[in-house]
Amino acid sequence: GNVVVAAMTQAFFTLSLGIGAMAIFGSYIGKERSLMGESINVAILDTFVALVSGLIIFPACFSFGVSPDSGPNLVFVTLPSVFNQMWLGQLWGTLFFIFMSFAALSTVIGVFENIIAFAMDQWGISRKKAVAINAVAIIILSLPCILGMNVWSGFQIPGIGDIQSIEDFIVSNNMLPLGALIFVLFCTQRFGWGWKNFLAEADAGEGMKFPAWSRLWVKWGIPVLIVIIFIMGYAPKVA
C-alpha cells in the first residue's frame, strides 16, 4: 500500500498536477488540438522517460554497490562515485550533469510559468516585472531548503525528517493531491465549470476525445481516490 501511495504522489509531482503547471500549459494549447490527446501524449512520454531512467540508474547503483534510495544525495554524492568507477566516467558524469541542468531549467520554466502568468493576469503587470517580483520571492522562500543542507541540517520533525523532507511532504502529500482534488471538483461539479463545459473544452480540436462514459468515475471516483491517497500519505507519519 505504501508503495502505491508513493507512486501516486510521484505521479502528481512529475506531472505537476494540482499546482497549476500542467493547467497553464493546457491553456496555451491552441484549439486545433484536443486536450485529451495531448494529455495522453504527455503521460506516455513522462512514463517512458521515468522507466528508462530507472533502468539506467538502478542497475548502475546495484552494479557498483551503492544505495539507490539516497534521496538528494543520490544525484550529487552516489552517482558521482558510480561515474568515477566507470570507463570514461568523467565524460559520462559531465554529460549527465549537463543534461540534468537542461532538465532542471525546463522544469523551472514549467513550474514558475503558472505563478508568473498569475501575477500578470491578477495584477496586470508586464512579464518582466512579474519575473523580477517572483525571482525575489522565490529566492527568499528557497532559503530554508538551502540552509537545511548545512546550517539548519539538525532541524528535524519526528516522523517526517529534515527541512527538505518537510517541504517535500508539504508539496507531495498536501498541495499536490488537494490541488488536484480542487481541479477535478471545479471541472466536473455544478458549483464550478460543470461537466458539459469541461467536456466541450477538452474535446475541442483534433485528437482523442474525452470518454463521455467516464462521467461518474471522473465526478465521484477520482475525487474519492485522491482523498484516499491523501489520507494514506499521512498514515506512515502518524503510525
Side-chain angles (χ1 to χ4, degrees):
N2 292 335
V3 174
V4 174
V5 173
M8 295 300 294
T9 54
Q10 173 63 20
F12 281 118
F13 180 83
T14 188
L15 290 172
S16 298
L17 303 176
I19 57 174
M22 191 60 68
I24 197 68
F25 284 139
S27 70
Y28 290 165
I29 295 177
K31 293 292 185 180
E32 65 274 7
R33 299 294 301 174
S34 70
L35 291 178
M36 182 64 182
E38 297 305 296
S39 299
I40 294 295
N41 293 336
V42 170
I44 291 175
L45 180 60
D46 182 82
T47 303
F48 172 77
V49 171
L51 289 174
V52 171
S53 300
L55 291 175
I56 295 173
I57 292 176
F58 284 101
C61 290
F62 292 139
S63 297
F64 292 98
V66 297
S67 176
D69 59 348
S70 305
N73 292 331
L74 176 65
V75 174
F76 300 107
V77 178
T78 305
L79 285 181
S81 67
V82 171
F83 292 132
N84 286 334
Q85 302 175 60
M86 292 174 60
W87 178 71
L88 294 178
Q90 289 186 341
L91 172 63
W92 305 127
T94 301
L95 291 175
F96 172 81
F97 284 105
I98 289 175
F99 295 149
M100 192 182 72
S101 298
F102 283 112
L105 180 61
S106 63
T107 301
V108 166
I109 294 174
V111 172
F112 291 168
E113 176 61 21
N114 60 334
I115 60 176
I116 292 173
F118 168 81
M120 294 168 59
D121 294 340
Q122 187 72 17
W123 300 322
I125 59 179
S126 66
R127 175 172 289 273
K128 288 184 177 180
K129 190 172 183 179
V131 170
I133 294 173
N134 282 288
V136 174
I138 289 166
I139 290 173
I140 295 174
L141 293 172
S142 299
L143 290 178
C145 184
I146 296 172
L147 296 175
M149 300 291 289
N150 41 72
V151 180
W152 293 348
S153 59
F155 182 82
Q156 301 273 333
I157 290 183
I160 298 180
D162 57 14
I163 292 178
Q164 286 78 14
S165 299
I166 295 169
E167 293 189 345
D168 178 68
F169 174 75
I170 292 173
V171 174
S172 299
N173 293 72
N174 293 272
M175 294 176 64
L176 289 171
L178 292 179
L181 178 63
I182 292 173
F183 273 124
V184 172
L185 294 177
F186 176 81
C187 289
T188 59
Q189 302 296 331
R190 290 183 179 180
F191 58 79
W193 213 4
W195 175 257
K196 291 183 179 180
N197 292 327
F198 162 74
L199 205 61
E201 183 68 22
D203 289 346
E206 297 181 2
M208 184 178 297
K209 306 302 181 183
F210 200 91
W213 52 263
S214 64
R215 177 179 180 180
L216 291 178
W217 168 247
V218 176
K219 289 187 68 173
W220 306 108
I222 291 180
V224 170
L225 180 61
I226 294 175
V227 171
I228 293 174
I229 294 172
F230 174 75
I231 294 174
M232 291 188 66
Y234 270 84
K237 310 298 181 183
V238 298

